[in-house]
Amino acid sequence: MHSSLVRVQNVFGFFTSVTFVVGALIALSALLFPTEPGSVNIDVTNFRVSKGRVRQYHATKPHELASVNFDLEADLNPLFNWNTKQVFAYVSVSYPGKKFSENEVVIWDRIITSSSKAKLRLKNQTPKYRIHDITGKISARENVTLTFHWNVQPHVGALTWGSAAESEAFVLPAIGEKKPASKPVVKKSS
Amino acid sequence: MDQIQSVIDGFIDFEGQSLAETLTTAILVLTGIAAFGAGWVLSDLKYTVYVGLSGTVLAFLAVVPPWPIYTRNPLTWVAIAAPPEVVMVDVKKEM
């Protein structure tokens, strides 16, 4: 500590240590906050399968594209604490298949940057992304479910993922058919 | 030129060094606690950053310049004694 230069180095060195400790404490404080959102409801409202071209390199022939509208009610306010930067909320469609047994496709997402925007209330929301299966065929697919997911992105600390509110399984219609043969019974879960 | 050099060097005495070290530790630890508390109470991490950085600037200002408080106990050296008398001895003759 004899000269100015040594004092600069000493103060800066200890500053980095203090910053690291404070950052670690902030990351640990995540344990004190809830990790589950409030009530979440998701319902399928309308769906449709049509033929179209996918603008992707591997797609040379027309694919079957499914479009699933849905209702979503979710209260993500509990996920916002002092260390939350943003929450990535997304809805995915899962369905089984013969060749590829487990498929999951994201059809809608939103980045929520503040707790004032954390109450989601969507009515008959059109999906942002249409579903096309890797085999090219998606019509009349059975056991299709919708799931709501969230990903909390903190300023300091680990990312956390979670999912809730799976809709009841439904059957995708054949091509051109606007509505399924029987309207699917969807369960409201919370 | 010597004056500029001494300002850049900013040498301080031993007591001052001890004080500077204590102040560095105290200011930065308190800053860390205050930063965490401010962010927690106001429920926004940006206050943690603001308090933390301003406390660090304060620590630099308090410790780095050679303030008079760090130079109150200068070392007093023993005065240089008169050089001893030198006796020249011709070694070859004595042998």
Side-chain angles (χ1 to χ4, degrees):
Chain A
M1 300 290 267
H2 180 49
S3 71
S4 299
L5 186 61
V6 175
R7 290 197 294 276
V8 168
Q9 290 171 337
N10 203 46
V11 173
F12 186 77
F14 193 56
F15 160 71
T16 57
S17 307
V18 170
T19 307
F20 185 82
V21 170
V22 171
L25 288 175
I26 292 168
L28 282 177
S29 77
L31 298 172
L32 303 171
F33 293 106
T35 52
E36 298 282 320
S39 61
V40 177
N41 284 323
I42 190 159
D43 282 349
V44 184
T45 52
N46 193 8
F47 36 78
R48 190 160 60 84
V49 176
S50 56
K51 272 205 173 221
R53 278 192 190 277
V54 196
R55 289 195 192 86
Q56 279 181 5
Y57 294 115
H58 65 82
T60 50
K61 46 184 191 232
H63 270 59
E64 288 179 0
L65 299 167
S67 172
V68 179
N69 287 22
F70 60 93
D71 281 353
L72 173 67
E73 259 180 58
D75 181 12
L76 300 181
N77 255 311
L79 298 178
F80 279 86
N81 58 53
W82 73 318
N83 190 23
T84 305
K85 185 183 177 212
Q86 60 190 23
V87 175
F88 183 66
Y90 55 108
V91 171
S92 74
V93 169
S94 323
Y95 56 90
K98 280 206 182 84
K99 192 172 178 192
F100 303 97
S101 56
E102 275 178 48
N103 304 277
E104 192 169 19
V105 185
V106 173
I107 58 165
W108 177 89
D109 56 33
R110 181 177 284 175
I111 297 167
I112 300 157
T113 49
S114 78
S115 62
S116 59
K117 298 171 192 156
K119 259 199 152 52
L120 297 176
R121 193 174 287 270
L122 306 172
K123 285 273 169 230
N124 197 18
Q125 171 70 40
T126 356
K128 280 168 93 171
Y129 318 108
R130 289 184 299 178
I131 312 161
H132 66 96
D133 188 59
I134 190 165
T135 59
K137 298 241 179 292
I138 188 85
S139 61
R141 194 68 68 110
E142 291 175 1
N143 264 329
V144 186
T145 51
L146 281 186
T147 316
F148 176 72
H149 306 258
W150 64 88
N151 167 219
V152 181
Q153 302 171 4
H155 288 289
V156 185
L159 299 173
T160 49
W161 283 267
S163 66
E166 209 167 285
S167 76
E168 195 118 312
F170 58 93
V171 184
L172 281 174
I175 291 177
E177 212 179 307
K178 277 261 162 101
K179 288 207 166 143
S182 61
K183 196 174 168 15
V185 190
V186 284
K187 144 191 101 168
K188 289 203 176 192
S189 54
S190 55
Chain B
M1 202 59 208
D2 276 356
Q3 265 185 331
I4 298 170
Q5 189 64 45
S6 80
V7 168
I8 293 170
D9 285 343
F11 294 139
I12 58 177
D13 60 52
F14 285 125
E15 293 295 321
Q17 291 180 43
S18 162
L19 181 62
E21 180 117 33
T22 313
L23 273 179
T24 308
T25 313
I27 294 176
L28 287 177
V29 167
L30 289 177
T31 296
I33 294 167
F36 187 91
W40 180 273
V41 170
L42 298 169
S43 195
D44 195 334
L45 211 70
K46 77 177 173 211
Y47 298 107
T48 303
V49 176
Y50 293 160
V51 172
L53 288 183
S54 35
T56 307
V57 169
L58 187 75
F60 271 103
L61 288 178
V63 171
V64 174
W67 298 114
I69 196 173
Y70 300 128
T71 51
R72 280 188 308 195
N73 302 291
L75 284 186
T76 42
W77 300 92
V78 176
I80 299 168
E85 271 179 49
V86 180
V87 184
M88 301 289 280
V89 180
D90 196 334
V91 183
K92 270 187 188 166
K93 258 187 189 170
E94 290 202 348
M95 278 167 72

